[in-house]
Amino acid sequence: MTVADELTPAETSAAAAAGPEAEPEEPIKQRKNGLYPGVSDELAESMKSGWADTELRDLEPIAQAAETAARRAALSARFPGERLVVPAGNLKTRSNDTDYPFRASVEYAYLTGNQTEDGVLVLEPTADGHKETIYLLPRSDRENGEFWLSGQGELWVGRRHSLTEAEKLYGIPASDVRELTDKLREARGPVRVVRGYDAGIEAALTDKVTAERDEELRVFLSEARLIKDEFEIGELQKAVDSTTRGFEDVVKVLDRAEATSERYIEGTFFLRARVEGNDVGYGTIAAAGPHACTLHWVRNDGPVRAGDLLLLDAGVETHTYYTADVTRTLPVNGRFSEVQKRVYDAVYDAQEAGIAAVQPGGKYRDFHDAAQRVLTERLVEWGLVEGPVERVLELGLQRRWTLHGTGHMLGMDVHDCAAARVESYVDGTLEPGMVLTVEPGLYFQADDLTVPEEYRGIGVRIEDDILVTADGNRNLSDGLPRRSDEVESWMASLKS
């Protein structure tokens, strides 16, 4: 990996803040261990000229432009007379001068469709609503050398859109974000900001906002995502379809995973996610054998052995940030043992009951209660917990082996809408357009002496992504088999 020799991050920021026509106030300093001693006047002058005009003039609005405009209109209507500030966030250092891949805040991406670092959406109150502006970094400057001297310059990390191009793409007037903090410091009247993404923006507003009012903004934007529009449903289906192909990829290479480790599974799925989408939507859980009993096993460094089960919980994230969240538990050798099938079929029956309970007008909790009842009935039937079933459910004793809730909302976050009010989410009512997971599981830890030895080390979860429709529900991930005999047949067909 090469490095930008000339500017440290602090020097880059100073040069950028100086403005398009300004020169850095101090001579450019090289990195401590840079190979070049400096920049000659002749080289600096040469780099200013001789470049073709690359402005993009035939751009069309992004696919979701109409949807993002409607979302901003709803936001404007909810908070009349108030300035609203929604940042994308900044790059985060991974180590020294390398950064983590940037992912814009969900609130910002949901309202704009833009995904670039340092962006900020501002809605300024007017007599009849709000004036919208998207504040972005313009293309890196050629006059002051930023485009080739800065580690975030165009020749190092790629071309940014010009502000004119951004206006065409997102349908929002665009301005230079480097001017924004001064404007915010001078702002008058009530202001709300989405916190946690941009410390500089928050500092500029520190005497103008309150935690309580800002939380109301965050809650509103979280609840706005509870019901997905047609664009969002289409993106979630894309994510699920890519995820299905990723699971097929994994089954085809299980022999190679046996020769290496769970990381071969993780890497195989990641390839599909990067080829067809933006990334994985969350850290892939590739849990073989007793690791399947660790709910969020993401180390993925254990062995993959014939005779064990593989619990694969993974999802592709689309280029617009919508993620699938699917789990299948697969016999590594393609065939369930008798006890594995017993546990698997119990989880399958619980999931069937849970999916059937996903109905418009029903309580959100219904699918969880339905699935938990089936699992509890099996645990009592097997003699693992003393009944009756109602007693076990009342005391929550089944949770020793089921552990987690049976699902969650899904969207741009894998656990979407998490800031919504309890009465709107967990205690709420299902409506058409909601998308949620149904994912019951049974987990018998390897060291659990309360169950027969044959159960120990078996973990099973089955998870699908369910859309609430006007007359029931639709399983977006039904392209992957779930029933135990169908799983075995599917695996055999992929290995033949």
Side-chain angles (χ1 to χ4, degrees), residues 159-170:
R159 183 186 188 278
R160 294 193 290 262
H161 282 297
S162 71
L163 298 181
T164 300
E165 292 168 352
E167 291 184 358
K168 294 178 181 177
L169 288 169
Y170 307 111

Side-chain angles (χ1 to χ4, degrees), residues 291-303:
H291 288 161
C293 299
T294 301
L295 299 187
H296 289 167
W297 177 261
V298 293
R299 299 181 204 171
N300 300 337
D301 59 359

Side-chain angles (χ1 to χ4, degrees), residues 404-418:
H404 56 78
T406 310
H408 51 80
M409 292 295 180
L410 184 68
M412 298 182 84
D413 281 329
V414 65
H415 295 154
D416 207 28
C417 313

Side-chain angles (χ1 to χ4, degrees), residues 93-390:
T93 300
R94 179 179 184 272
S95 177
N96 189 25
D97 58 353
T98 61
D99 299 308
Y100 286 105
F102 180 74
R103 190 182 190 276
S105 74
V106 165
E107 294 87 351
Y108 175 85
Y110 177 75
L111 293 168
T112 66
N114 178 256
Q115 299 178 9
T116 56
E117 66 269 18
D118 301 329
V120 185
L121 173 68
V122 177
L123 274 62
E124 299 180 39
T126 62
D128 56 354
H130 285 85
K131 173 188 174 184
E132 305 172 344
T133 307
I134 187 170
Y135 287 87
L136 302 166
L137 284 171
R139 290 189 63 186
S140 51
D141 188 44
R142 294 177 187 268
E143 281 299 307
N144 68 8
E146 177 197 352
F147 85 110
W148 70 285
L149 294 175
S150 166
Q152 293 300 318
E154 186 170 306
L155 297 192
W156 289 98
V157 298
R159 183 186 188 278
R160 294 193 290 262
H161 282 297
S162 71
L163 298 181
T164 300
E165 292 168 352
E167 291 184 358
K168 294 178 181 177
L169 288 169
Y170 307 111
I172 313 171
S175 292
D176 191 334
V177 71
R178 295 172 297 189
E179 303 168 355
L180 180 57
T181 53
D182 286 342
K183 291 183 178 180
L184 293 178
R185 290 189 188 98
E186 298 168 0
R188 297 291 180 267
V191 183
R192 297 179 192 254
V193 63
V194 177
R195 299 191 182 201
Y197 299 115
D198 193 317
I201 294 298
E202 291 180 36
L205 294 169
T206 186
D207 60 339
K208 300 176 174 64
V209 295
T210 67
E212 181 180 7
R213 288 162 51 78
D214 292 347
E215 181 64 11
E216 289 175 351
L217 172 60
R218 189 171 78 105
V219 167
F220 172 81
L221 290 173
S222 194
E223 293 187 2
R225 302 198 306 276
L226 282 169
I227 298 177
K228 271 59 180 178
D229 57 40
E230 288 302 314
F231 176 84
E232 293 178 289
I233 293 169
E235 290 299 291
L236 284 166
Q237 187 66 68
K238 285 182 190 176
V240 168
D241 292 345
S242 289
T243 299
T244 295
R245 290 187 284 273
F247 275 68
E248 292 171 348
D249 296 339
V250 167
V251 172
K252 291 175 182 177
V253 300
L254 280 177
D255 57 335
R256 300 181 195 176
E258 287 185 68
T260 52
S261 76
E262 295 161 339
R263 293 206 170 168
Y264 202 95
I265 295 166
E266 177 187 351
T268 298
F269 187 85
F270 180 68
L271 177 62
R272 178 67 64 173
R274 286 293 281 167
V275 168
E276 295 192 0
N278 177 57
D279 206 330
V280 290
Y282 53 95
T284 296
I285 298 169
H291 288 161
C293 299
T294 301
L295 299 187
H296 289 167
W297 177 261
V298 293
R299 299 181 204 171
N300 300 337
D301 59 359
V304 179
R305 299 187 179 102
D308 282 346
L309 296 177
L310 166 68
L311 190 157
L312 178 59
D313 185 337
V316 172
E317 177 186 83
T318 67
H319 294 291
T320 54
Y321 287 175
Y322 290 87
T323 184
D325 183 7
V326 177
T327 306
R328 290 294 183 269
T329 304
L330 311 171
V332 173
N333 63 7
R335 304 287 295 182
F336 291 101
S337 71
E338 180 182 350
V339 68
Q340 288 171 350
K341 185 176 185 299
R342 184 185 312 150
V343 176
Y344 185 95
D345 288 349
V347 174
Y348 171 80
D349 290 345
Q351 196 200 27
E352 283 283 275
I355 292 174
V358 177
Q359 299 288 332
K363 296 181 183 300
Y364 175 85
R365 291 179 180 271
D366 286 350
F367 75 95
H368 170 72
D369 293 341
Q372 287 290 297
R373 176 168 291 276
V374 172
L375 294 179
T376 302
E377 289 170 349
R378 298 302 170 84
L379 291 167
V380 171
E381 176 187 324
W382 297 338
L384 303 185
V385 63
E386 182 181 351
V389 168
E390 295 299 336

Side-chain angles (χ1 to χ4, degrees), residues 394-429:
E394 181 182 355
L395 299 176
L397 301 180
Q398 82 284 0
R399 292 184 62 188
R400 180 181 178 105
W401 304 285
T402 65
L403 292 172
H404 56 78
T406 310
H408 51 80
M409 292 295 180
L410 184 68
M412 298 182 84
D413 281 329
V414 65
H415 295 154
D416 207 28
C417 313
R421 293 168 297 173
V422 172
E423 58 267 31
S424 300
Y425 189 159
V426 173
D427 290 341
T429 300

